[in-house]
Amino acid sequence: MLSGIRPTGFLHLGNYFGAMRNFVRMQNEFNCYFFVANWHSLTTHPDTQFLKKSVNRVIAENIACGLNPDQVALYVQSDVPEIAELYLYLNMLAYKGELEKTVTFKEKARMQPDNINAGLLTYPVLQAADILIHRAVKVPVGKDQEQNLEMARNFAERFNHRYGEVFPLPYGFNYGGELVKILGLDGEGKMSKSENQLSTLYLADDDETIRKKIAKAKTDQGPATENAVKPDYIENLFTLMKLVSSEATFTKFLDDYNNSYEGKCLIRYGDLKKQLAEDMIAFIGPIRDKAADLQSNPDHLKKIIQQGAEKARASASETLRLVKKAVGTD
Ligand code: ATP
Ligand code: MG
């Protein structure tokens, strides 16, 4: 099982419930590789100091969320040079036309027209190398990544066809039915690392910030009829409450909502938000504090990252040995 995350910003509640929570579960069931994709983030030419800090923070936040670095391989992409070597081999099997056609390339090219570098074009090849270097078969990805995963399968198949069977084919993985999408508190779009920041709850937010953001969450004057369908922004508050509050609290507010109608409004959004804020603080607080703790001890963090690199390189060098033997460069 393999998954990566780009160090492009602060991790948020959407990342937690949409991705990390599942990773924490997977680590008990599969042989897991998780990495911070710092080479990938170079396509946008980030500031060097910022990049280094972000890498450490993402590692720390993942551990704080429950990933156990003794159990999984938690590593930084650039610590595993075997990935770059495989990337070279795969580039010989990737065609300009197909790379230019990928949705993510076209999107990124539109967003940064002055910096359409070759790394951006060959992003799917590097992604394929990330996966194939461990001969991973399960890749938990969102819908937006399906095309890139298909390309990874294509490159693997081409390699196998030309040089001999080395790679099993990787497929998307999720726990079915349980995919959550956390909207921004303003009800516009989703919580995000890079957009919508005032409406996104970050795992690094302090208590006061959490209170303020939730207090500003969009609501309205209440439902007009009993058992009314909830607008997105109200549904989202209940989604959050279901995730972080007690069953009894959730049920109380839901009953209040369902029994409210115009002229008799039982649901008090002010109270709901206050309760949600306190429960959110109880949820985010320990993660934030643990992540901060880890980041305040760079030597310890460095050891964890080294340990991850060793595990990843053990698996990667074995794959590369097979690749070179197949190609004839051994
Ligand atoms: P960026 O703004 O840089 O695209 P992001 O916040 O969208 O960042 P990604 O790095 O693109 O985060 O995604 C990491 C993981 O988090 C993916 O598995 C994605 O599906 C999940 N994820 C991101 N945002 C949400 C959200 N609001 N709700 C649920 N899952 C989410
Ligand atoms: Mg995204």
Side-chain angles (χ1 to χ4, degrees):
M1 209 291 300
L2 173 127
S3 186
I5 185 153
R6 284 188 313 146
T8 47
F10 287 74
L11 297 186
H12 53 81
L13 220 57
N15 297 138
Y16 181 86
F17 287 109
M20 273 132 84
R21 183 175 60 164
N22 292 333
F23 298 168
V24 171
R25 182 170 161 194
M26 286 172 204
Q27 71 181 339
N28 299 315
E29 299 174 29
F30 307 113
N31 181 12
C32 293
Y33 293 84
F34 294 106
F35 70 101
V36 183
N38 58 343
W39 276 336
H40 280 291
S41 61
L42 294 179
T43 54
T44 53
H45 300 171
D47 173 82
T48 316
Q49 273 313 310
F50 173 79
L51 181 63
K52 198 164 193 154
K53 262 210 178 107
S54 303
V55 168
N56 282 344
R57 195 181 54 237
V58 171
I59 292 276
E61 285 180 332
N62 271 287
I63 296 170
C65 285
L67 274 192
N68 178 356
D70 291 328
Q71 201 172 346
V72 305
L74 180 60
Y75 62 99
V76 181
Q77 188 183 29
S78 61
D79 285 341
V80 185
E82 289 82 2
I83 298 168
E85 200 170 336
L86 179 59
Y87 172 55
L88 182 148
Y89 287 104
L90 296 179
N91 264 322
M92 308 302 172
L93 303 171
Y95 297 101
K96 178 171 167 276
E98 65 183 339
L99 295 172
E100 280 171 346
K101 271 196 305 207
T102 57
V103 177
T104 44
F105 173 70
K106 286 196 281 192
E107 250 169 37
K108 293 235 167 81
R110 207 178 321 121
M111 276 164 63
Q112 49 185 78
D114 300 329
N115 180 20
I116 306 179
N117 57 66
L120 206 53
L121 183 67
T122 57
Y123 200 99
V125 188
L126 184 54
Q127 241 180 5
D130 290 327
I131 300 166
L132 299 178
I133 196 70
H134 301 300
R135 284 167 286 155
V137 287
K138 290 187 166 62
V139 187
V141 290
K143 272 240 169 315
D144 56 330
Q145 290 294 325
E146 216 119 277
Q147 189 183 29
N148 288 359
L149 194 53
E150 189 184 329
M151 293 178 81
R153 279 197 297 275
N154 289 341
F155 301 146
E157 272 183 323
R158 278 178 216 163
F159 185 99
N160 289 346
H161 182 69
R162 182 166 294 272
Y163 299 114
E165 282 299 315
V166 170
F167 300 113
L169 301 185
Y171 286 91
F173 174 84
N174 66 60
Y175 280 115
E178 287 174 32
L179 289 185
V180 256
K181 182 170 170 190
I182 312 277
L183 300 185
L185 293 166
D186 57 359
E188 310 277 329
K190 67 172 195 74
M191 290 195 181
S192 157
K193 282 202 246 103
S194 56
E195 295 155 35
N196 222 8
Q197 302 195 337
L198 292 175
S199 300
T200 295
L201 291 167
Y202 294 97
L203 300 178
D205 280 347
D206 61 43
D207 293 358
E208 229 13 71
T209 306
I210 295 170
R211 282 194 191 98
K212 276 195 193 131
K213 283 181 177 172
I214 293 182
K216 285 204 187 116
K218 180 172 177 182
T219 52
D220 49 31
Q221 68 278 38
T225 60
E226 287 183 341
N227 299 310
V229 174
K230 301 184 199 68
D232 283 354
Y233 48 91
I234 299 294
E235 181 77 56
N236 194 43
L237 292 179
F238 277 101
T239 300
L240 292 175
M241 193 160 238
K242 180 142 191 128
L243 291 169
V244 301
S245 301
S246 73
E247 176 95 41
T249 302
F250 174 77
T251 311
K252 178 210 169 314
F253 283 101
L254 188 62
D255 286 347
D256 284 353
Y257 182 91
N258 283 331
N259 293 317
S260 295
Y261 50 88
E262 210 173 328
K264 179 174 160 253
C265 192
L266 295 179
I267 178 90
R268 302 209 174 272
Y269 290 133
D271 292 350
L272 181 151
K273 287 179 179 180
K274 272 199 192 108
Q275 181 67 47
L276 179 61
E278 293 317 306
D279 294 338
M280 193 59 76
I281 287 167
F283 178 81
I284 289 182
I287 296 179
R288 174 192 66 213
D289 297 345
K290 182 160 187 209
D293 225 37
L294 282 159
Q295 287 172 88
S296 72
N297 190 345
D299 289 341
H300 179 56
L301 206 54
K302 202 170 173 180
K303 278 206 191 91
I304 291 176
I305 291 174
Q306 272 167 359
Q307 176 193 336
E310 273 164 35
K311 284 191 207 172
R313 290 196 71 181
S315 151
S317 59
E318 177 54 17
T319 300
L320 204 56
R321 192 183 66 76
L322 297 173
V323 165
K324 290 168 86 167
K325 191 163 160 239
V327 175
T329 50
D330 59 333

